[in-house]
Amino acid sequence: MIEMSKTIDKTQDLENPVVIPPEAYISRDYAEAEQDRLFRKVWLQAGRLEDLREVGDFITYNIGPDSVIIVKSGEGELSAYHNVCPHRGRRLVDTPEGKRNARGTRKNFICGYHGWTFGLDGENTYIEHEEDWQGSLCAGRADLGKVHVDTWGGWIWINLDPDCKPLREYLGVIPEMLDPYQLENMRPRWRKWIIFDCNWKVAMEAFAETYHVSSTHPEFNAFGQFRGWARNHGLHTNIGYEAPKGMEEDSGKMRVGSGADPRLTTAEMQNFTWENANTNTTAKLVEVANRLKDELPEGTPAAEVSAHWIKTAREEDAARGVNWPNVAPEHTAKAGTAWQVFPNFQIGQAVQNMLCYHARPFGNDPDKCYFEAAVYELYPEGEAPETEWEYTKPHEWPPVLQQDFANMAAVQQGMKNAGFRGAQVNPYMERAVASLHLNLSRYMGTGAPRPRN
């Protein structure tokens, strides 16, 4: 039975079975409260540094009714401002129709309503008939409101709370665990976004556990077992796969195939992943995997197949100017395959590629969200492709992600069912889901997981 009078308040309690009430997913009151209680209090991933190369380059980031302009305001300097004119409240930069966000280059920002003008430093430089205000607009009252901005991992992070803690303190152990992967050196191969029919938390949770792999993506069962784990680290969590001793690399993304001939199943899994997920691997890894049958004798043990595959791909990448960072297998085992940065960003890291997910509310509608995915990898100097955020319809996404989408929409509807008594998550493989709701409840004041007795 569920003990309704009790809630979980300690992270160690997440090691036991819990039930998550559905209000965080379906309540409009909860959705309306999220902006002020949550999103205006946390650090949010808002873009990549490579999108701001020259002084004057800017992007916008929108979260609910809030919009932020992030601009390269000087050499080696970033600034962020509330995207609103302090005169009458008009947004300074509009998001073009059909685009995820605004992006461009400007010498200044001019309000389209009355022409108030602001420099890259946020200071007001022009007000028509300023004398009419009788000197009351001095002391910064006519300047743009500043937003905290910082960088880590090649990303730009913002915080709307004037009294927020520093980004590095907020990220906790994540820099220690992910800095060895040198994520700042990767560039996007593709970036897609969609407005989807589920709550933003349903979207993020679809990728925060490995428990679903064998049933949602049964095609992968032919290549091995995908039993995974989830661990909580304060605000944040990570997930990964179990791996045999001596094959710690298989805790990460570069997994060798199982069966009688791992040379063949590794190639089959790489080809399937490239064609049907278009992520979690690279063209070089696929190419080398397809040569394993020619370069290794039949009967080669899986550990030797893995070692040869990775060593060869690393060396051939280095020859073309793609240098993988060196990450010890023991570190790979601890880092796993992905980190969930509270509340709404996931980094799926490897030494030469990464897959990232990001979700945001769609207004106050608990049944919709903006969902985004981006694939990054290492490129030779000057050879990274130029990518934009591309709106992609559900049937146009890679087939494996379409399988996840089917779950996301159906879960959102199912949670409204009168017979649904709350999510009963796996305390070993789905702990990241329970951890998300424990931390959400600390901001929101409701929705904490309850013990399952």
Side-chain angles (χ1 to χ4, degrees):
M1 62 176 290
I2 303 173
E3 183 58 60
M4 297 302 292
S5 63
K6 295 181 179 179
T7 58
I8 298 298
D9 61 1
K10 298 178 181 178
T11 54
Q12 58 263 37
D13 292 333
L14 299 177
E15 298 176 9
N16 302 313
V18 300
V19 177
I20 300 169
E23 66 171 315
Y25 305 101
I26 64 176
S27 166
R28 185 169 291 275
D29 288 343
Y30 188 104
E32 290 177 352
E34 280 182 330
Q35 189 69 19
D36 190 54
R37 297 182 185 177
L38 176 67
F39 290 114
R40 289 175 175 170
K41 302 295 184 183
V42 295
W43 282 95
L44 299 165
Q45 181 275 121
R48 288 287 291 181
L49 278 168
E50 58 263 23
D51 288 335
L52 303 178
R53 298 175 182 173
E54 304 295 333
V55 174
D57 287 355
F58 75 91
I59 57 174
T60 59
Y61 178 79
N62 304 322
I63 182 83
D66 292 311
S67 180
V68 176
I69 300 169
I70 305 157
V71 61
K72 186 167 184 178
S73 51
E75 289 298 338
E77 182 180 353
L78 287 183
S79 299
Y81 309 106
H82 291 286
N83 183 15
V84 60
C85 181
H87 173 214
R88 294 275 296 280
R90 192 204 191 283
R91 279 195 175 181
L92 288 174
V93 179
D94 297 321
T95 301
E97 184 72 24
K99 295 292 187 180
R100 170 191 178 269
N101 63 298
R103 179 180 179 182
T105 305
R106 296 191 182 180
K107 295 180 179 179
N108 52 31
F109 295 95
I110 303 174
C111 180
Y113 198 0
H114 297 91
W116 283 31
T117 303
F118 309 88
L120 300 182
D121 58 3
E123 293 186 8
N124 189 297
T125 59
Y126 174 76
I127 299 173
E128 187 174 16
H129 304 304
E130 182 177 359
E131 64 276 8
D132 291 351
W133 275 266
Q134 304 164 36
S136 66
L137 294 181
C138 59
R141 296 186 184 95
D143 297 342
L144 296 181
K146 294 184 178 180
V147 173
H148 285 288
V149 61
D150 204 343
T151 63
W152 170 78
W155 285 284
I156 302 163
W157 303 77
I158 60 167
N159 197 311
L160 298 169
D161 182 359
D163 301 316
C164 67
K165 67 173 68 172
L167 173 64
R168 289 304 179 107
E169 182 180 344
Y170 180 86
L171 292 174
V173 301
I174 290 177
E176 174 189 346
M177 296 305 298
L178 294 188
D179 280 351
Y181 292 87
Q182 300 177 17
L183 307 180
E184 66 276 6
N185 294 333
M186 298 187 191
R187 298 293 178 265
R189 181 161 62 85
W190 58 258
R191 297 190 275 186
K192 300 178 184 292
W193 70 285
I194 188 174
I195 299 171
F196 203 73
D197 292 329
C198 71
N199 190 275
W200 68 269
K201 293 174 285 294
V202 170
M204 294 306 300
E205 291 168 9
F207 306 96
E209 42 90 354
T210 59
Y211 189 41
H212 73 284
V213 173
S214 63
S215 52
T216 298
H217 312 299
E219 301 88 350
F220 282 102
N221 293 336
F223 309 125
Q225 296 297 311
F226 291 87
R227 177 165 170 78
W229 46 260
R231 299 165 184 157
N232 51 297
H233 308 267
L235 279 177
H236 318 293
T237 56
N238 71 326
I239 59 176
Y241 293 110
E242 296 178 352
K245 186 175 178 59
M247 293 179 61
E248 284 78 8
E249 288 285 3
D250 260 29
S251 318
K253 289 185 176 181
M254 291 184 290
R255 295 175 59 81
V256 71
S258 62
D261 195 338
R263 304 173 308 160
L264 302 181
T265 53
T266 298
E268 290 168 1
M269 181 164 59
Q270 285 293 301
N271 285 309
F272 180 86
T273 301
W274 181 261
E275 294 167 6
N276 292 277
N278 198 13
T279 182
N280 290 336
T281 189
T282 67
K284 176 57 68 177
L285 285 170
V286 175
E287 174 194 336
V288 175
N290 285 326
R291 298 189 337 238
L292 291 172
K293 65 182 186 302
D294 303 317
E295 297 177 356
L296 296 173
E298 186 175 354
T300 301
E304 295 180 21
V305 171
S306 178
H308 176 84
W309 173 43
I310 294 171
K311 179 176 183 292
T312 304
R314 179 188 287 272
E315 291 175 349
E316 292 185 6
D317 258 352
R320 68 187 186 97
V322 174
N323 297 300
W324 302 6
N326 291 307
V327 181
E330 297 78 11
H331 189 90
T332 298
K334 292 180 181 179
T337 59
W339 284 78
Q340 293 75 43
V341 185
F342 182 83
N344 65 333
F345 184 50
Q346 184 184 78
I347 304 167
Q349 80 285 350
V351 292
Q352 74 293 82
N353 75 93
M354 64 177 167
L355 166 63
C356 299
Y357 296 117
H358 179 225
R360 294 169 290 146
F362 185 82
N364 291 329
D365 188 344
D367 296 328
K368 288 183 179 292
C369 71
Y370 295 98
F371 176 74
E372 306 166 359
V375 167
Y376 301 79
E377 64 178 79
L378 294 174
Y379 290 94
E381 184 69 29
E383 295 184 19
E386 294 291 334
T387 64
E388 298 282 349
W389 283 102
E390 174 190 1
Y391 184 85
T392 308
K393 297 178 180 179
H395 68 276
E396 296 173 336
W397 286 69
V400 168
L401 288 174
Q402 291 182 43
Q403 294 172 328
D404 293 304
F405 288 175
N407 284 338
M408 289 153 58
V411 163
Q412 187 66 27
Q413 293 304 309
M415 285 187 173
K416 300 176 184 178
N417 193 304
F420 182 63
R421 299 184 296 273
Q424 304 181 73
V425 297
N426 182 321
Y428 179 70
M429 299 181 73
E430 298 179 297
R431 191 179 303 166
V433 176
S435 179
L436 171 64
H437 287 267
L438 174 61
N439 284 304
L440 283 172
S441 70
R442 291 169 174 167
Y443 283 83
M444 298 295 297
T446 187
R450 303 180 184 279
R452 181 75 163 98
N453 296 329

